[in-house]
Amino acid sequence: MSNKITLGHVHMSGCTGCCVSIADTFQGLFTLLDNYADLVYSLTLADVRHIPKMDVALVEGSVCLQDELSIEEIKETREKATVVVALGGCAAYGNITRFSRGGQWNQPQHESFVPISKLIDVDVYIPGCAPCPEVIRNVAVMAYLLLKGNDAQKKLATAYLSPLMALAKDGSRIESDSEACGCDIMLKVVNQGLCMGCGTCAASCPVFAISMEYGKPNIDREMCIKCGACYSSCPRSFFSFDVCGDYENILGAITAAMNPGGN
Amino acid sequence: MDMLGKYKSCVAARSTSSEILKCSQDGGIVTGMFVYALEEGIIDGAIVAGPGDEPWKPQPMVATTPEEILAARGTRYNISPNMSVIKDAVRQYGLDKVGIVGTPCQIQALRKAQLYPVGLRNVTNKIALAMGIFCMENFSYQSMKQIVEDHCNVDLHSLKKTDIGKGKYWAYTNRGAVSQIPLKVTHKYEQPGCHVCLDYVANMADISTGSVGTPDGWSTVFVRSTNGDSIWKKAVEAGVFETKAIDGIKPGLELVTKLATEKITKNQKEVEHRATIGVGKGLRNPYI
């Protein structure tokens, strides 16, 4: 199909969990590749050595400042891709690599890891560790609609992607140093008088660092890995009535897009 | 802003089960619906506000039997973070079809989670029925305790039921005493996060319900989504609920619209006020 977009998976310092998450949609990945996107670059899934031009780059992992190749490749990614997506906590916020101080076998000098937005502008953030396969699927479908859809579809895709673009814009500011951890829930939600105790942050945390005590999040900071899931899933971090109020149609459209044969 | 949200139908309804009505808040709609859905296999469990470790403190629980659902009847007027156990319902309880009841903000959280399921792999596609309840504001447990024990002079251990209605906060004791205070007194104890809420009747639920608009013992029910419509029709056909057209009911939708407009207008102003609360500085607006 000539109308496909081109998609790449760029691997920085990450555990490949995000890549697994891309593939973890049962036959969903085949549907995406059959109908909407060609996978033009992926260390694990495509036999291509150098980063080619592509519409959308899904970048996994943070950048190690002591690894020159990583720095070159992340800059090349920005050059070659129209849309750069920070896929997962490490690319977006540093995640667990934030805790590195080097000394590990067999590259002990690899001690400084930064989110990709420290070196390049990023267009879309998908937080989480690992990011949920369904949110990757939703973003992939929306990215397709944004690039190849009709006007109504472009409008919908823009509305859907805007908050994730806003997270990326915030992360790409030079002075930005988002903690992307339970602290964000405290600083940007509870301290701002916005928390209403729904508990979504606690459910979203992959390491069970958040418990609800008397209707408010209690964050175990020793447990937090800084993946950004809690804050981005909080209904009081961002909430669009236009998008969420239209949930039936949007989820229906995504389901239809993933079942092009109508099965 | 759409005050009552989209809906396919609106009726006055109450459960036909005397067992459910014995302890339900109003018409027993949520309890009746979940018990029916559980028995029919529409859901295989529901996230409800179960009993907690202190009197009148709700604890979100995954109920998998009608008995557990019945035990969670009634409004507690303090926070039950029902979304916090949504992953447990699927992962630990192994449910494929999850029911959930929530306030408007919790239903908003649910819909956001379905569209942006950041940390909820294989969870949000298992939501089979979302019941929303009308909500003007909520209280923390400590605030509720302050209101009931300090202002109403009722020990939480002897509290039988609380209610908000007719401009008053009501506390009924097990021995039959009734204590009431002007609702105005309770305002300062409200949860701050409620003051930016722009939804009164759970506009994004499959079915939403509350006492406002219908006589004592009845509930106003909005049937909203295609999914909600199909389940509601089956339940009514099965005789789970007794219904009346909302048109002939006093005070009816007029009062619901009035209260929704009051809440949303007031909170919209608060959102705007927050933006300029400091000197050339404001607080964050979550609605974009």
Side-chain angles (χ1 to χ4, degrees):
Chain A
M1 198 181 278
S2 58
N3 211 25
K4 283 184 185 178
I5 61 173
T6 50
L7 188 69
H9 171 253
V10 179
H11 208 310
M12 296 275 120
S13 297
C15 72
T16 322
C18 299
C19 184
V20 170
S21 226
I22 295 174
D24 186 20
T25 48
F26 301 99
Q27 278 94 32
L29 181 64
F30 299 138
T31 307
L32 283 174
L33 296 180
D34 282 345
N35 298 281
Y36 307 110
D38 280 321
L39 192 65
V40 294
Y41 182 75
S42 173
L43 271 186
T44 36
L45 301 172
D47 187 16
V48 179
R49 294 293 176 90
H50 299 288
I51 297 174
K53 270 190 91 64
M54 55 187 139
D55 294 321
V56 180
L58 301 170
V59 183
E60 163 173 0
S62 57
V63 186
C64 176
L65 298 180
Q66 287 79 36
D67 178 13
E68 278 176 32
L69 184 64
S70 286
I71 296 178
E72 263 170 47
E73 285 195 339
I74 197 66
K75 285 158 77 176
E76 199 179 355
T77 302
R78 180 66 279 180
E79 231 169 77
K80 299 275 182 68
T82 313
V83 178
V84 175
V85 179
L87 175 65
C90 294
Y93 297 111
N95 198 32
I96 200 154
T97 65
R98 281 289 202 198
F99 299 95
S100 165
R101 286 159 297 165
Q104 70 280 358
W105 187 259
N106 62 357
Q107 300 288 336
Q109 78 286 11
H110 282 188
E111 72 171 37
S112 319
F113 295 83
V114 293
I116 61 169
S117 60
K118 283 282 156 207
L119 299 180
I120 61 166
D121 283 343
V122 182
D123 303 300
V124 175
Y125 269 17
I126 304 181
C129 179
C132 176
E134 292 100 314
V135 78
I136 302 174
R137 175 203 63 195
N138 293 1
V139 169
V141 171
M142 289 297 167
Y144 176 80
L145 294 180
L146 186 68
L147 296 170
K148 304 282 184 185
N150 59 34
D151 285 351
Q153 289 169 329
K154 277 185 181 157
K155 199 174 155 210
L156 167 68
T158 307
Y160 177 89
L161 293 171
S162 292
L164 303 176
M165 290 159 75
L167 290 179
K169 202 173 167 194
D170 186 49
S172 293
R173 285 186 301 118
I174 191 76
E175 71 275 22
S176 169
D177 235 331
S178 185
E179 291 265 10
C181 63
C183 308
D184 283 351
I185 288 285
M186 288 307 296
L187 300 176
K188 299 182 188 173
V189 183
V190 180
N191 291 170
Q192 288 274 316
L194 293 170
C195 177
M196 42 57 185
C198 66
T200 311
C201 52
S204 303
C205 179
V207 293
F208 305 102
I210 303 179
S211 55
M212 297 302 285
E213 306 288 344
Y214 290 97
K216 298 287 154 171
N218 184 47
I219 294 138
D220 183 343
R221 291 174 193 204
E222 287 297 308
M223 292 284 287
C224 174
I225 55 168
K226 298 180 184 284
C227 71
C230 54
Y231 179 69
S232 58
S233 61
C234 171
R236 294 288 167 83
S237 62
F238 62 81
F239 190 86
S240 157
F241 286 96
D242 289 344
V243 173
C244 296
D246 202 24
Y247 74 94
E248 265 190 292
N249 287 330
I250 298 177
L251 292 173
I254 292 171
T255 307
M258 295 307 288
N259 293 284
N263 301 316
Chain B
M1 185 59 69
D2 189 0
M3 298 302 163
L4 302 183
K6 282 181 266 183
Y7 58 91
K8 294 186 194 296
S9 61
C10 178
V11 289
R14 70 177 174 194
S15 167
T16 49
S17 154
S18 55
E19 178 63 24
I20 287 176
L21 289 177
K22 225 188 295 174
C23 282
S24 62
Q25 190 70 16
D26 298 291
I29 304 298
V30 176
T31 308
M33 201 66 216
F34 279 157
V35 169
Y36 168 74
L38 197 60
E39 284 169 348
E40 291 299 307
I42 295 166
I43 57 173
D44 40 28
I47 299 172
V48 295
D53 52 5
E54 291 177 64
W56 285 84
K57 182 162 169 259
Q59 180 67 35
M61 72 175 278
V62 182
T64 54
T65 64
E67 292 72 32
E68 284 175 330
I69 287 169
L70 283 169
R73 276 170 302 187
T75 308
R76 248 59 59 79
Y77 286 107
N78 68 99
I79 306 163
S80 178
N82 284 4
M83 280 295 287
S84 67
V85 296
I86 194 170
K87 192 157 72 179
D88 299 348
V90 173
R91 302 268 174 90
Q92 292 175 18
Y93 290 78
L95 306 189
D96 286 322
K97 291 170 281 184
V98 181
I100 182 168
V101 57
T103 51
C105 57
Q106 294 176 342
I107 302 297
Q108 288 179 351
L110 173 74
R111 296 313 182 196
K112 178 176 169 181
Q114 287 184 300
L115 289 165
Y116 302 92
V118 176
L120 295 167
R121 176 177 167 269
N122 285 351
V123 171
T124 53
N125 56 349
K126 304 213 163 47
I127 302 300
L129 175 61
M131 298 291 295
I133 45 182
F134 301 177
C135 179
M136 192 54 93
E137 71 277 312
N138 205 348
F139 301 96
S140 69
Y141 181 71
Q142 297 91 333
S143 278
M144 194 252 186
K145 189 174 169 140
Q146 182 89 10
I147 293 165
V148 173
E149 297 201 335
D150 193 16
H151 288 272
C152 298
N153 201 20
V154 169
D155 189 287
L156 278 179
H157 290 92
S158 39
L159 184 69
K160 187 180 179 198
K161 177 173 178 166
T162 58
D163 207 0
I164 289 174
K166 305 174 180 75
K168 294 191 170 69
Y169 188 101
W170 304 78
Y172 302 85
T173 72
N174 286 325
R175 288 167 77 89
V178 184
S179 181
Q180 52 163 44
I181 55 166
L183 194 55
K184 204 169 59 180
V185 174
T186 67
H187 288 334
K188 74 170 178 184
Y189 298 116
E190 289 163 6
Q191 171 173 237
C194 297
H195 296 155
V196 299
C197 175
L198 305 178
D199 187 350
Y200 176 55
V201 285
N203 294 357
M204 297 180 198
D206 287 316
I207 298 167
S208 47
T209 184
S211 67
V212 173
T214 39
D216 287 351
W218 288 76
S219 296
T220 305
V221 176
F222 291 99
V223 181
R224 300 185 180 279
S225 66
T226 307
N227 175 43
D229 194 37
S230 125
I231 299 174
W232 178 256
K233 279 181 182 150
K234 277 187 230 163
V236 172
E237 208 167 283
V240 176
F241 301 111
E242 181 185 347
T243 65
K244 285 184 192 170
I246 197 74
D247 293 344
I249 305 285
K250 291 286 170 202
L253 279 186
E254 202 180 315
L255 182 64
V256 187
T257 310
K258 179 174 169 273
L259 292 181
T261 310
E262 274 176 24
K263 170 178 175 176
I264 292 166
T265 313
K266 179 169 77 74
N267 290 352
Q268 188 76 56
K269 276 196 191 130
E270 173 64 15
V271 171
E272 286 157 21
H273 168 65
R274 287 168 52 89
T276 55
I277 196 169
V279 181
K281 292 181 178 201
L283 297 170
R284 217 169 58 73
N285 177 358
Y287 307 118
I288 41 154

